[in-house]
Each structure stands twice: as C-alpha cells, then as structure tokens.
Amino acid sequence: MDRGVGFREFERKLEQERDSWRMRRKDSDDRKTYDEVFDRQNLMRIYKLFSDGVIDQIDYPISTGKEGNVFRATTSDGTPLALKIYRTSTATFKDMAKYIAGDPRFKGVSRNRRKLIMTWSSKEYRNLQRLHDAGVRVPVPVACHCNMIVMEFIGSDSGPAPMMKDVKLDSPVGVAEIILGHARRAYQKAEIVHGDLSEYNVLMNGDEPVIIDVGQSVLLEHPLADELLVRDMSNIARFFRRYGLSIDVERELREIRKR
Ligand SMILES: Nc1ncnc2c1ncn2[C@@H]1O[C@H](COP(=O)(O)OP(=O)(O)OP(=O)(O)O)[C@@H](O)[C@H]1O
Ligand SMILES: [Mg+2]
C-alpha cells in the first residue's frame, strides 16, 4: 500500500481485511478479541508502524492468546513478519507485575495497567534483542511500539511454524540438545532465564527449534530467576520423556549454573 495514504484509507483497508478474517472465524470470542485489538488507539499505533515503513500490511491472525494476539504481516518488499499486540484489558496482568518488579531495567515503573503493558512489551523486545545478540535462536526483533512487537516471522509460505507439542520429532535427541544449548547460552551469555520454557513456546521451523514468548524472561539477578530456571529445565525434561529420553535435570542445572 502507498505509504502516503491517510489514516482514513488505511483504516478502511484494515477493516476489509478484518471482515475477511471474521468470515472465516465463526467463533464469537475471536470476534470479540479482534474488536478489542483494533480499537481506535491500537489502529493509530498500527498506522504508525505502517507510516514508518515497518510493516506494509497485516495478512492474517496467527494466534489469539490470553494476553495478546499475533498476526502475520509483510513489509513493502514482501518480507514476512510477526506482529504481536498485547491487549490492555488482559486478565493476567496482575502476574506481570511480579516479573517486572525486581528487574533493574525497569525501576520505578508505574503499576498503572496501561503503562505496565507497555513496559511488558518493551521488556519482551529487549529480552529478544539480548537473547538474539547472545546467539540464542529466537525470532529476530524488528521494532517495538507501545504494546506492539514486530519480529521475524517463524514459518513458511504455507503458514506459521507449529509448536513443538504438535509435531512428531524425527530426532528428539538432537532437538533436546539444541534447546538445552539455547537455555545454557541464555543463562551464561545473555544472563537471562526464559521463565516459561516448554513445548508451547518452542516453534519447530522445519528441524530447527525456535524459542519464543520471552516477555516473562528475567535477568539472573531477579529474585525469581533460579526458581524459574528449575521449572524450565523440568518442563523440558518432562516433555522429552514422551520420546523415552531421560534428561538429568540436576546435572543440567549444575552445567548451566557453572558460569
Ligand atoms: N515470531 C513468530 N512467528 C510465527 N508465529 C509466532 C511468532 N510468535 C508467536 N507466534 C505464534 O503465536 C502464538 C502465541 O505467541 P506467544 O507464545 O508469544 O504469545 P502468548 O502471549 O504466550 O500467547 P498464549 O497466551 O497463547 O500463550 C505462538 O504459539 C505461535 O503459534
Ligand atoms: Mg506462549
């Protein structure tokens, strides 16, 4: 779309796209969340991403989660991207505070719900940057604006990559090793603990596991860091048990904590 188009025209085009998603989705909960996501304020924010040339269009919804929605978008040169939009009325926002408190990067941040969501988004974005810089395979961060994060789209032309829980792994041993390697790199190089690592937050891009959803990830100095690390490792061990693998959690933890 021509970047010079005004807000009105942009809004009209987005409205058409939304109509086509609505037709495909009969679920009224989804419809409700779309109305919520595309309120006036978010429309203005999306328009900003558009007029800044970050995205050119929103293609289709990928996921409607508890806290936010993820869409596939494209740039003007056709590069696919993922756009994650946090909803301001999220029910789980209470939990967010405990992950933000204790993070020195966000000292003195307000408990106001709207501001907290913005802080949460920028926390997710900065965590992505830090992890990416340390060589952990996460979606490459592209931009962050208010409650919106733009990042690399993980998937192909035929759609987003599936979650690890939904695929049958051909080489579970190799995949487990790669994931544990990422967790170690996150801890030792990025000094970050994922905090919600499980088969739900690993996408399988073909054979390659990609770690997503790092909003709750914390720095090592965070009071919850160690507890979250143990939980992450136990989750991974539990998942791979279904493939008959036995991961020694205690040993992994010792390895990881050796900095
Ligand atoms: N970069 C990406 N590329 C492709 N798909 C993505 C990307 N990021 C997220 N998704 C899809 O969107 C879903 C939700 O993303 P994410 O886990 O980051 O959000 P969430 O807030 O945890 O949502 P939920 O409440 O559903 O767990 C993922 O399971 C995945 O299917
Ligand atoms: Mg998730």
Side-chain angles (χ1 to χ4, degrees):
M1 195 169 22
D2 174 9
R3 227 181 286 160
V5 306
F7 180 68
R8 282 277 146 92
E9 197 179 327
F10 166 80
E11 192 179 15
R12 198 180 47 78
K13 179 147 180 294
L14 200 56
E15 183 68 38
Q16 283 172 357
E17 286 166 359
R18 284 169 61 196
D19 282 345
S20 74
W21 306 334
R22 276 206 195 98
M23 307 263 273
R24 275 178 268 150
R25 298 268 184 147
K26 292 201 181 64
D27 192 319
S28 68
D29 278 352
D30 276 357
R31 223 172 308 155
K32 205 172 130 259
T33 36
Y34 290 155
D35 289 342
E36 208 179 284
V37 168
F38 295 105
D39 65 5
R40 190 90 196 150
Q41 193 172 47
N42 279 344
L43 275 178
M44 304 285 274
R45 290 169 179 165
I46 298 169
Y47 181 65
K48 167 100 170 83
L49 291 174
F50 166 73
S51 51
D52 285 352
V54 178
I55 59 167
D56 188 59
Q57 66 174 50
I58 299 183
D59 307 313
Y60 57 83
I62 299 174
S63 146
T64 304
K66 296 177 297 298
E67 289 137 15
N69 293 54
V70 181
F71 297 89
R72 200 190 94 141
T74 7
T75 62
S76 52
D77 69 8
T79 309
L81 293 172
L83 166 67
K84 185 168 180 177
I85 305 180
Y86 277 99
R87 286 197 299 276
T88 328
S89 60
T90 166
T92 49
F93 106 107
K94 281 194 292 333
D95 296 335
M96 290 182 172
K98 80 172 183 207
Y99 289 89
I100 289 173
D103 189 322
R105 295 173 298 175
F106 301 99
K107 262 202 187 110
V109 158
S110 149
R111 288 179 174 252
N112 165 295
R113 173 185 290 240
R114 217 169 35 84
K115 289 198 188 141
L116 198 63
I117 305 289
M118 306 245 197
T119 307
W120 187 260
S121 306
S122 92
K123 181 166 176 273
E124 172 154 2
Y125 186 73
R126 289 171 66 172
N127 285 339
L128 276 178
Q129 281 178 322
R130 235 178 129 111
L131 290 163
H132 174 65
D133 289 348
V136 178
R137 184 62 179 109
V138 291
V140 182
V142 173
C144 176
H145 178 53
C146 301
N147 57 337
M148 308 186 172
I149 298 165
V150 182
M151 61 189 140
E152 176 193 3
F153 170 74
I154 308 299
S156 65
D157 287 345
S158 52
M163 293 182 208
M164 184 166 73
K165 79 173 177 69
D166 293 326
V167 297
K168 185 169 176 320
L169 299 175
D170 292 330
S171 44
V173 177
V175 172
E177 267 168 19
I178 294 172
I179 294 173
L180 292 172
H182 286 318
R184 203 174 309 138
R185 217 162 290 127
Y187 190 96
Q188 296 175 346
K189 286 190 83 178
E191 305 194 337
I192 279 183
V193 173
H194 186 286
D196 193 18
L197 191 61
S198 76
E199 59 275 28
Y200 288 81
N201 285 330
V202 175
L203 300 184
M204 290 306 295
N205 196 18
D207 296 333
E208 182 195 33
V210 181
I211 318 279
I212 61 160
D213 205 2
V214 298
Q216 71 295 317
S217 304
V218 297
L219 300 181
L220 302 193
E221 59 209 277
H222 194 283
L224 290 171
D226 202 61
E227 187 186 314
L228 292 172
L229 176 71
V230 173
R231 195 174 72 183
D232 282 357
M233 289 301 128
S234 313
N235 278 342
I236 294 302
R238 176 195 38 73
F239 173 76
F240 282 100
R241 236 174 268 144
R242 79 166 67 161
Y243 285 101
L245 257 71
S246 80
I247 294 172
D248 184 342
V249 175
E250 284 309 319
R251 219 197 70 194
E252 288 301 326
L253 287 170
R254 268 200 307 279
E255 254 337 282
I256 282 195
R257 289 183 185 125
K258 241 191 247 162
R259 274 207 291 153

